[in-house]
Amino acid sequence: MLDLLTPSRTRYTSARALLGRAKTRVTAVVAEFRTSVAQPVTQPEPADEFTPDELPAVKLIEAAAREFDRAADQVRRADRGKRAARKILDRLPAGTYGGWLVERVPSARQTADLDAIRAIFKANGLGPVPMKNSAPSLKVTQVPVTGECVRCERAWDVSGLSEDGNGDMVCVDCHSSDPTGDDAAARRSYSYAGAGR
């Protein structure tokens, strides 16, 4: 009924104004998102970082990184196994099944109820709930170890280098083109080259 009393020009102007405000808001949100994505977040170094004098030997660091990577892989595999098992166990009623007791026990851990906090903030006009990023995750990645061929002076993965008759590290290509060195080294280089095909 109100539409009949309101001139169509006024309705048109109101709709344009509403769309203009919506467009301005969407543009601002998109610009904010683009700037947040474009700028990588730099993580702070640890507070108790080793001083140059305290740095452990590279062999110790490599061993620690290797152990960390192995343990992290075990955790990932264990998580996948737990998720697969929970697809069945989560739907079971509590009880004994064969030699296994399945039950649900209350957890002693507590976490903030974000839904309740948001409701309190909204009711009191406090805006969005302030959030902070979690601590950075430690990640180790094995990088290929490279060496240099003494003949062609190119960098190679160490698996592509072997000793020649003089004990120098020579690449597969140089062994193939000049296999006059150590017979065992030549055989190794040929078998490596054949394995790559």
Coordinates of all heavy atoms in Angstrom, one line a residue, residues 102-188:
V102 N 34.6 -49.2 24.8 CA 34.4 -47.9 24.1 C 33.5 -47.0 25.0 O 32.4 -47.4 25.4 CB 33.7 -48.0 22.7 CG1 33.4 -46.7 22.1 CG2 34.5 -48.9 21.8
E103 N 34.0 -45.9 25.4 CA 33.3 -44.9 26.3 C 33.7 -43.5 26.0 O 34.7 -43.3 25.4 CB 33.5 -45.3 27.8 CG 35.0 -45.2 28.2 CD 35.2 -45.6 29.6 OE1 34.3 -45.5 30.4 OE2 36.3 -46.0 29.9
R104 N 32.9 -42.6 26.5 CA 33.2 -41.2 26.4 C 33.4 -40.6 27.7 O 32.5 -40.6 28.5 CB 32.1 -40.5 25.6 CG 32.1 -40.9 24.1 CD 30.8 -40.7 23.4 NE 30.8 -41.2 22.0 CZ 30.7 -42.5 21.7 NH1 30.4 -43.4 22.7 NH2 30.7 -42.9 20.5
V105 N 34.6 -40.0 28.0 CA 34.9 -39.4 29.3 C 35.0 -37.9 29.1 O 35.5 -37.4 28.1 CB 36.2 -40.0 29.9 CG1 36.0 -41.5 30.2 CG2 37.3 -39.8 28.9
P106 N 34.5 -37.1 30.1 CA 34.6 -35.7 30.0 C 36.1 -35.2 30.0 O 36.9 -35.8 30.6 CB 33.9 -35.2 31.2 CG 33.8 -36.3 32.2 CD 33.9 -37.6 31.3
S107 N 36.3 -34.2 29.2 CA 37.7 -33.6 29.1 C 37.9 -32.6 30.2 O 37.0 -31.8 30.5 CB 37.9 -33.0 27.7 OG 39.1 -32.4 27.7
A108 N 39.1 -32.5 30.7 CA 39.4 -31.5 31.7 C 39.9 -30.2 31.1 O 39.9 -29.1 31.7 CB 40.6 -32.0 32.6
R109 N 40.1 -30.2 29.7 CA 40.5 -29.0 29.0 C 39.3 -28.1 28.8 O 38.2 -28.6 28.6 CB 41.2 -29.4 27.7 CG 42.6 -30.1 27.9 CD 43.3 -30.3 26.6 NE 42.4 -30.9 25.6 CZ 42.8 -31.1 24.3 NH1 43.9 -30.7 23.9 NH2 41.9 -31.8 23.5
Q110 N 39.6 -26.8 28.8 CA 38.5 -25.9 28.5 C 39.0 -24.9 27.4 O 40.2 -24.7 27.3 CB 38.2 -25.1 29.7 CG 37.4 -25.9 30.7 CD 36.9 -25.0 31.9 OE1 37.5 -24.1 32.3 NE2 35.7 -25.4 32.4
T111 N 38.1 -24.4 26.6 CA 38.4 -23.4 25.6 C 37.4 -22.3 25.6 O 36.2 -22.6 26.1 CB 38.5 -24.1 24.2 OG1 38.9 -23.1 23.2 CG2 37.2 -24.7 23.8
A112 N 37.7 -21.2 25.2 CA 36.8 -20.0 25.2 C 35.6 -20.3 24.3 O 35.8 -20.8 23.2 CB 37.5 -18.8 24.7
D113 N 34.4 -20.0 24.7 CA 33.2 -20.1 23.9 C 33.0 -18.9 23.1 O 32.4 -17.9 23.5 CB 32.0 -20.3 24.9 CG 30.7 -20.6 24.1 OD1 30.7 -20.5 22.9 OD2 29.7 -21.0 24.8
L114 N 33.5 -19.0 21.8 CA 33.5 -17.8 21.0 C 32.1 -17.3 20.6 O 31.8 -16.1 20.5 CB 34.3 -18.1 19.7 CG 35.8 -18.0 19.8 CD1 36.5 -18.4 18.5 CD2 36.2 -16.6 20.3
D115 N 31.1 -18.3 20.5 CA 29.7 -17.9 20.2 C 29.2 -17.0 21.3 O 28.5 -16.0 21.1 CB 28.9 -19.1 20.0 CG 29.2 -19.8 18.7 OD1 29.8 -19.2 17.8 OD2 29.0 -21.1 18.6
A116 N 29.4 -17.4 22.6 CA 28.9 -16.6 23.7 C 29.6 -15.3 23.8 O 29.0 -14.2 24.1 CB 29.1 -17.4 25.0
I117 N 30.9 -15.3 23.5 CA 31.7 -14.0 23.6 C 31.2 -13.1 22.5 O 31.0 -11.9 22.7 CB 33.2 -14.3 23.4 CG1 33.7 -15.1 24.6 CG2 34.0 -13.0 23.2 CD1 35.1 -15.6 24.5
R118 N 30.9 -13.6 21.3 CA 30.4 -12.7 20.2 C 29.1 -12.1 20.6 O 28.8 -11.0 20.3 CB 30.3 -13.5 18.9 CG 31.6 -13.8 18.2 CD 31.4 -14.4 16.8 NE 32.7 -14.8 16.3 CZ 33.1 -16.1 16.3 NH1 32.4 -17.0 16.8 NH2 34.3 -16.4 15.8
A119 N 28.2 -13.0 21.2 CA 26.9 -12.5 21.7 C 27.0 -11.4 22.7 O 26.3 -10.4 22.6 CB 26.1 -13.6 22.2
I120 N 28.0 -11.5 23.6 CA 28.2 -10.4 24.6 C 28.7 -9.2 23.9 O 28.2 -8.1 24.2 CB 29.2 -10.9 25.7 CG1 28.5 -12.1 26.5 CG2 29.6 -9.8 26.6 CD1 29.5 -12.8 27.4
F121 N 29.7 -9.3 23.0 CA 30.2 -8.2 22.3 C 29.1 -7.4 21.6 O 29.0 -6.2 21.6 CB 31.3 -8.6 21.4 CG 32.7 -8.5 22.0 CD1 33.0 -9.3 23.1 CD2 33.7 -7.6 21.5 CE1 34.3 -9.2 23.7 CE2 34.9 -7.6 22.1 CZ 35.2 -8.4 23.2
K122 N 28.3 -8.2 20.9 CA 27.2 -7.7 20.1 C 26.2 -7.0 20.9 O 25.7 -5.9 20.6 CB 26.5 -8.8 19.2 CG 25.5 -8.2 18.2 CD 25.0 -9.3 17.3 CE 24.0 -8.8 16.3 NZ 23.5 -9.8 15.4
A123 N 25.8 -7.6 22.1 CA 24.8 -7.0 22.9 C 25.3 -5.7 23.5 O 24.5 -4.8 23.8 CB 24.4 -8.0 24.1
N124 N 26.6 -5.5 23.7 CA 27.1 -4.3 24.3 C 27.7 -3.4 23.3 O 28.4 -2.4 23.7 CB 28.2 -4.7 25.4 CG 27.5 -5.4 26.6 OD1 26.8 -4.8 27.4 ND2 27.8 -6.7 26.7
G125 N 27.6 -3.7 22.0 CA 28.1 -2.8 21.0 C 29.6 -2.6 21.0 O 30.1 -1.5 20.7
L126 N 30.3 -3.7 21.3 CA 31.7 -3.6 21.4 C 32.4 -4.0 20.1 O 33.7 -4.0 20.0 CB 32.2 -4.6 22.5 CG 31.7 -4.3 23.9 CD1 32.2 -5.4 24.9 CD2 32.2 -2.9 24.3
G127 N 31.7 -4.2 19.0 CA 32.3 -4.6 17.7 C 32.7 -6.0 17.6 O 32.3 -6.9 18.4
P128 N 33.6 -6.4 16.7 CA 34.0 -7.8 16.5 C 34.9 -8.2 17.7 O 35.6 -7.4 18.3 CB 34.7 -7.8 15.2 CG 35.2 -6.4 15.0 CD 34.2 -5.5 15.7
V129 N 34.9 -9.5 17.9 CA 35.8 -10.1 19.0 C 37.2 -9.9 18.5 O 37.6 -10.3 17.4 CB 35.4 -11.5 19.2 CG1 36.4 -12.2 20.2 CG2 34.0 -11.7 19.7
P130 N 38.1 -9.4 19.3 CA 39.5 -9.3 18.9 C 40.1 -10.7 18.8 O 39.9 -11.5 19.7 CB 40.2 -8.4 20.0 CG 39.3 -8.5 21.2 CD 37.9 -8.8 20.6
M131 N 40.9 -10.9 17.7 CA 41.5 -12.2 17.5 C 43.0 -12.0 17.3 O 43.4 -10.9 16.9 CB 40.9 -12.9 16.3 CG 39.4 -13.1 16.3 SD 38.8 -14.3 17.6 CE 39.2 -15.8 16.8
K132 N 43.8 -13.0 17.6 CA 45.2 -13.0 17.3 C 45.6 -14.3 16.6 O 45.0 -15.3 16.8 CB 46.0 -12.7 18.5 CG 46.0 -13.8 19.6 CD 46.9 -13.5 20.7 CE 47.1 -14.7 21.7 NZ 48.0 -14.4 22.7
N133 N 46.7 -14.2 15.9 CA 47.2 -15.4 15.2 C 47.8 -16.4 16.1 O 48.3 -16.0 17.2 CB 48.2 -15.0 14.1 CG 47.6 -14.2 13.0 OD1 46.4 -14.4 12.7 ND2 48.4 -13.4 12.3
S134 N 47.7 -17.6 15.8 CA 48.4 -18.6 16.6 C 49.9 -18.5 16.4 O 50.4 -17.8 15.5 CB 47.9 -20.0 16.2 OG 46.5 -20.2 16.3
A135 N 50.6 -19.2 17.3 CA 52.1 -19.2 17.2 C 52.5 -19.8 15.9 O 51.8 -20.7 15.4 CB 52.7 -19.9 18.4
P136 N 53.6 -19.3 15.3 CA 54.0 -19.9 14.0 C 54.4 -21.4 14.1 O 54.9 -21.8 15.2 CB 55.2 -19.0 13.6 CG 55.6 -18.4 14.8 CD 54.4 -18.3 15.7
S137 N 54.1 -22.2 13.1 CA 54.4 -23.6 13.2 C 55.8 -23.8 12.7 O 56.2 -23.1 11.7 CB 53.5 -24.4 12.3 OG 52.1 -24.2 12.7
L138 N 56.6 -24.6 13.3 CA 57.9 -25.0 12.9 C 57.8 -26.0 11.8 O 57.1 -27.0 11.9 CB 58.7 -25.6 14.1 CG 60.1 -26.0 13.8 CD1 61.0 -24.8 13.4 CD2 60.8 -26.7 15.0
K139 N 58.5 -25.7 10.7 CA 58.5 -26.6 9.5 C 59.9 -26.8 9.0 O 60.7 -25.8 8.9 CB 57.6 -26.0 8.4 CG 57.5 -26.8 7.1 CD 56.7 -26.1 6.1 CE 56.6 -26.9 4.8 NZ 55.8 -26.2 3.8
V140 N 60.3 -28.0 8.8 CA 61.6 -28.3 8.2 C 61.4 -29.0 6.8 O 60.5 -29.8 6.7 CB 62.5 -29.2 9.1 CG1 62.8 -28.4 10.4 CG2 61.8 -30.5 9.4
T141 N 62.2 -28.6 5.9 CA 62.1 -29.2 4.5 C 63.5 -29.6 4.1 O 64.4 -28.8 4.2 CB 61.5 -28.2 3.5 OG1 60.3 -27.8 4.0 CG2 61.3 -28.9 2.2
Q142 N 63.7 -30.8 3.6 CA 65.0 -31.2 3.2 C 65.3 -30.7 1.8 O 64.5 -30.7 0.9 CB 65.1 -32.8 3.1 CG 66.5 -33.3 2.9 CD 66.6 -34.8 3.0 OE1 65.6 -35.5 3.0 NE2 67.8 -35.3 3.2
V143 N 66.5 -30.0 1.7 CA 66.9 -29.5 0.4 C 67.9 -30.4 -0.2 O 68.7 -31.0 0.5 CB 67.4 -28.0 0.6 CG1 66.4 -27.1 1.1 CG2 68.6 -28.0 1.6
P144 N 67.9 -30.5 -1.5 CA 68.9 -31.3 -2.2 C 70.3 -30.8 -1.9 O 70.6 -29.6 -2.0 CB 68.5 -31.3 -3.6 CG 67.7 -30.1 -3.8 CD 67.1 -29.8 -2.5
V145 N 71.2 -31.7 -1.6 CA 72.6 -31.3 -1.4 C 73.3 -31.4 -2.8 O 73.2 -32.4 -3.5 CB 73.3 -32.3 -0.4 CG1 74.7 -31.9 -0.2 CG2 72.5 -32.3 0.9
T146 N 74.0 -30.4 -3.1 CA 74.6 -30.3 -4.4 C 76.2 -30.3 -4.3 O 76.7 -29.9 -3.3 CB 74.2 -29.1 -5.2 OG1 74.5 -27.9 -4.5 CG2 72.7 -29.1 -5.5
G147 N 76.8 -30.8 -5.4 CA 78.2 -30.7 -5.5 C 78.6 -30.3 -6.9 O 77.7 -30.1 -7.7
E148 N 79.9 -30.1 -7.1 CA 80.3 -29.6 -8.4 C 81.2 -30.6 -9.1 O 82.1 -31.2 -8.4 CB 81.1 -28.2 -8.2 CG 81.4 -27.6 -9.5 CD 82.1 -26.2 -9.3 OE1 81.4 -25.3 -9.0 OE2 83.3 -26.1 -9.5
C149 N 81.0 -30.8 -10.4 CA 81.8 -31.7 -11.1 C 83.1 -31.0 -11.4 O 83.1 -29.8 -11.8 CB 81.1 -32.1 -12.5 SG 82.1 -33.0 -13.6
V150 N 84.2 -31.7 -11.2 CA 85.6 -31.1 -11.4 C 85.9 -30.9 -12.9 O 86.7 -30.0 -13.2 CB 86.7 -31.9 -10.7 CG1 86.5 -31.9 -9.2 CG2 86.8 -33.3 -11.3
R151 N 85.2 -31.6 -13.8 CA 85.5 -31.5 -15.2 C 84.7 -30.4 -15.9 O 85.2 -29.5 -16.5 CB 85.3 -32.8 -15.9 CG 86.3 -33.9 -15.5 CD 86.1 -35.2 -16.3 NE 86.8 -36.3 -15.7 CZ 86.7 -37.5 -16.0 NH1 85.8 -37.9 -17.0 NH2 87.4 -38.5 -15.4
C152 N 83.4 -30.5 -15.7 CA 82.5 -29.5 -16.4 C 82.1 -28.3 -15.5 O 81.5 -27.4 -16.0 CB 81.3 -30.2 -17.0 SG 80.2 -30.8 -15.8
E153 N 82.4 -28.4 -14.2 CA 82.2 -27.4 -13.2 C 80.7 -27.0 -13.1 O 80.4 -25.9 -12.7 CB 83.0 -26.1 -13.5 CG 84.5 -26.4 -13.5 CD 85.3 -25.1 -13.8 OE1 84.8 -24.1 -14.1 OE2 86.6 -25.2 -13.6
R154 N 79.8 -28.0 -13.4 CA 78.4 -27.7 -13.2 C 78.0 -28.3 -11.8 O 78.6 -29.2 -11.3 CB 77.5 -28.4 -14.3 CG 77.6 -27.8 -15.6 CD 76.7 -28.4 -16.6 NE 77.1 -29.8 -16.9 CZ 76.3 -30.7 -17.5 NH1 75.2 -30.4 -17.9 NH2 76.8 -31.9 -17.7
A155 N 76.9 -27.7 -11.2 CA 76.4 -28.1 -10.0 C 75.5 -29.3 -10.2 O 74.7 -29.3 -11.1 CB 75.7 -27.0 -9.3
W156 N 75.6 -30.4 -9.4 CA 74.8 -31.6 -9.5 C 74.3 -32.0 -8.2 O 74.9 -31.7 -7.1 CB 75.7 -32.7 -10.1 CG 75.9 -32.6 -11.6 CD1 76.8 -31.8 -12.2 CD2 75.3 -33.4 -12.6 NE1 76.7 -32.0 -13.6 CE2 75.8 -33.0 -13.8 CE3 74.3 -34.4 -12.5 CZ2 75.4 -33.6 -15.0 CZ3 73.9 -35.0 -13.7 CH2 74.5 -34.6 -14.9
D157 N 73.2 -32.7 -8.2 CA 72.8 -33.4 -7.0 C 73.9 -34.4 -6.7 O 74.4 -35.0 -7.6 CB 71.4 -34.1 -7.2 CG 70.8 -34.7 -6.0 OD1 71.4 -35.6 -5.5 OD2 69.8 -34.1 -5.5
V158 N 74.2 -34.6 -5.4 CA 75.3 -35.5 -5.0 C 75.0 -36.9 -5.5 O 76.0 -37.7 -5.7 CB 75.5 -35.6 -3.5 CG1 76.1 -34.3 -3.0 CG2 74.3 -35.9 -2.7
S159 N 73.8 -37.3 -5.7 CA 73.5 -38.7 -6.2 C 74.0 -38.8 -7.7 O 74.2 -40.0 -8.2 CB 72.1 -39.1 -6.1 OG 71.3 -38.1 -6.9
G160 N 74.2 -37.7 -8.4 CA 74.7 -37.8 -9.8 C 76.2 -37.6 -9.9 O 76.7 -37.6 -11.0
L161 N 76.9 -37.6 -8.8 CA 78.4 -37.5 -8.8 C 79.0 -38.7 -8.2 O 78.5 -39.4 -7.3 CB 78.8 -36.3 -7.9 CG 78.3 -34.9 -8.4 CD1 78.7 -33.8 -7.3 CD2 79.0 -34.5 -9.7
S162 N 80.1 -39.1 -8.8 CA 80.9 -40.2 -8.2 C 82.4 -39.9 -8.5 O 82.7 -39.1 -9.3 CB 80.5 -41.5 -8.9 OG 80.6 -41.5 -10.3
E163 N 83.2 -40.6 -7.8 CA 84.7 -40.4 -7.8 C 85.2 -41.0 -9.1 O 84.9 -42.1 -9.5 CB 85.4 -40.9 -6.6 CG 85.1 -40.2 -5.3 CD 85.9 -40.8 -4.2 OE1 86.8 -41.6 -4.4 OE2 85.6 -40.4 -3.0
D164 N 86.2 -40.3 -9.7 CA 86.9 -40.8 -10.8 C 88.2 -41.5 -10.3 O 88.3 -41.7 -9.1 CB 87.3 -39.8 -11.9 CG 88.2 -38.7 -11.4 OD1 88.6 -38.8 -10.2 OD2 88.5 -37.8 -12.1
G165 N 89.1 -42.0 -11.2 CA 90.3 -42.7 -10.7 C 91.2 -41.9 -9.8 O 92.0 -42.4 -9.0
N166 N 91.1 -40.5 -9.9 CA 91.9 -39.7 -9.0 C 91.3 -39.3 -7.7 O 91.8 -38.5 -7.0 CB 92.3 -38.4 -9.8 CG 93.0 -38.7 -11.1 OD1 93.8 -39.6 -11.1 ND2 92.7 -37.9 -12.1
G167 N 90.0 -39.7 -7.5 CA 89.3 -39.4 -6.3 C 88.5 -38.1 -6.4 O 88.0 -37.6 -5.4
D168 N 88.5 -37.5 -7.6 CA 87.7 -36.3 -7.8 C 86.2 -36.6 -8.1 O 85.9 -37.7 -8.7 CB 88.3 -35.5 -9.0 CG 89.7 -35.0 -8.7 OD1 90.0 -34.7 -7.6 OD2 90.5 -35.0 -9.7
M169 N 85.3 -35.7 -7.7 CA 83.9 -35.9 -8.0 C 83.6 -35.5 -9.4 O 83.8 -34.4 -9.8 CB 83.1 -35.1 -7.0 CG 83.3 -35.5 -5.5 SD 83.0 -37.3 -5.3 CE 81.3 -37.4 -5.3
V170 N 83.0 -36.5 -10.2 CA 82.7 -36.3 -11.6 C 81.3 -36.6 -11.8 O 80.8 -37.6 -11.3 CB 83.7 -37.1 -12.5 CG1 83.4 -36.9 -14.0 CG2 85.1 -36.8 -12.2
C171 N 80.6 -35.9 -12.7 CA 79.2 -36.1 -13.0 C 79.0 -37.2 -13.9 O 79.9 -37.7 -14.6 CB 78.6 -34.8 -13.5 SG 79.1 -34.4 -15.2
V172 N 77.8 -37.6 -14.1 CA 77.4 -38.8 -14.9 C 77.7 -38.4 -16.4 O 78.2 -39.3 -17.1 CB 75.9 -39.0 -14.8 CG1 75.4 -40.1 -15.8 CG2 75.5 -39.4 -13.4
D173 N 77.5 -37.2 -16.8 CA 77.7 -36.9 -18.2 C 79.2 -37.0 -18.5 O 79.6 -37.5 -19.6 CB 77.3 -35.4 -18.5 CG 75.7 -35.3 -18.6 OD1 75.1 -36.4 -18.6 OD2 75.2 -34.2 -18.5
C174 N 80.1 -36.5 -17.6 CA 81.5 -36.5 -17.9 C 82.0 -38.0 -17.8 O 82.9 -38.4 -18.6 CB 82.3 -35.7 -16.9 SG 82.0 -33.9 -17.2
H175 N 81.5 -38.8 -16.9 CA 81.8 -40.2 -16.9 C 81.4 -40.9 -18.2 O 82.2 -41.7 -18.8 CB 81.1 -40.9 -15.8 CG 81.9 -41.0 -14.5 ND1 83.2 -41.5 -14.4 CD2 81.7 -40.5 -13.3 CE1 83.7 -41.4 -13.2 NE2 82.7 -40.8 -12.5
S176 N 80.3 -40.5 -18.7 CA 79.8 -41.2 -20.0 C 80.6 -40.8 -21.2 O 80.9 -41.6 -22.1 CB 78.3 -40.8 -20.2 OG 77.5 -41.2 -19.2
S177 N 81.0 -39.5 -21.2 CA 81.8 -39.0 -22.4 C 83.3 -39.4 -22.3 O 83.9 -39.6 -23.3 CB 81.7 -37.5 -22.5 OG 82.2 -36.9 -21.3
D178 N 83.8 -39.7 -21.1 CA 85.2 -40.0 -20.9 C 85.3 -41.1 -19.8 O 85.8 -40.8 -18.7 CB 86.0 -38.8 -20.6 CG 87.5 -39.1 -20.5 OD1 87.9 -40.2 -21.0 OD2 88.2 -38.4 -19.9
P179 N 84.9 -42.3 -20.1 CA 85.0 -43.3 -19.0 C 86.3 -44.0 -18.9 O 86.4 -45.2 -18.6 CB 83.9 -44.4 -19.6 CG 84.0 -44.3 -21.0 CD 84.4 -42.8 -21.3
T180 N 87.4 -43.2 -19.0 CA 88.8 -43.8 -18.9 C 89.2 -43.8 -17.4 O 90.3 -44.3 -17.2 CB 89.7 -42.9 -19.7 OG1 89.7 -41.6 -19.2 CG2 89.4 -43.0 -21.2
G181 N 88.4 -43.3 -16.5 CA 88.9 -43.3 -15.1 C 88.7 -44.6 -14.5 O 88.8 -45.7 -15.1
D182 N 88.4 -44.6 -13.2 CA 88.3 -45.8 -12.4 C 87.1 -46.7 -13.0 O 86.0 -46.2 -13.2 CB 88.0 -45.4 -11.0 CG 87.6 -46.6 -10.1 OD1 88.1 -47.7 -10.3 OD2 86.9 -46.4 -9.1
D183 N 87.3 -48.0 -13.2 CA 86.3 -48.8 -13.7 C 85.0 -48.9 -12.9 O 83.9 -48.9 -13.4 CB 86.8 -50.2 -14.0 CG 87.8 -50.3 -15.1 OD1 87.8 -49.3 -15.9 OD2 88.6 -51.2 -15.2
A184 N 85.2 -49.0 -11.6 CA 84.1 -49.1 -10.7 C 83.3 -47.8 -10.7 O 82.0 -47.8 -10.8 CB 84.6 -49.3 -9.2
A185 N 84.0 -46.6 -10.8 CA 83.3 -45.4 -10.9 C 82.5 -45.3 -12.2 O 81.4 -44.8 -12.3 CB 84.2 -44.2 -10.7
A186 N 83.1 -45.8 -13.3 CA 82.5 -45.7 -14.6 C 81.2 -46.6 -14.6 O 80.2 -46.2 -15.1 CB 83.4 -46.2 -15.6
R187 N 81.3 -47.8 -13.9 CA 80.2 -48.7 -13.9 C 79.0 -48.0 -13.1 O 77.9 -48.1 -13.5 CB 80.6 -50.0 -13.3 CG 81.3 -50.9 -14.2 CD 81.3 -52.4 -13.7 NE 82.0 -52.5 -12.4 CZ 83.3 -52.7 -12.3 NH1 84.0 -52.7 -13.4 NH2 83.8 -52.8 -11.1
R188 N 79.4 -47.4 -12.0 CA 78.4 -46.7 -11.2 C 77.7 -45.6 -12.0 O 76.5 -45.4 -11.9 CB 79.0 -46.1 -9.9 CG 79.3 -47.1 -8.8 CD 79.5 -46.4 -7.5 NE 80.6 -45.4 -7.5 CZ 81.9 -45.7 -7.3 NH1 82.3 -46.9 -7.1 NH2 82.8 -44.7 -7.4

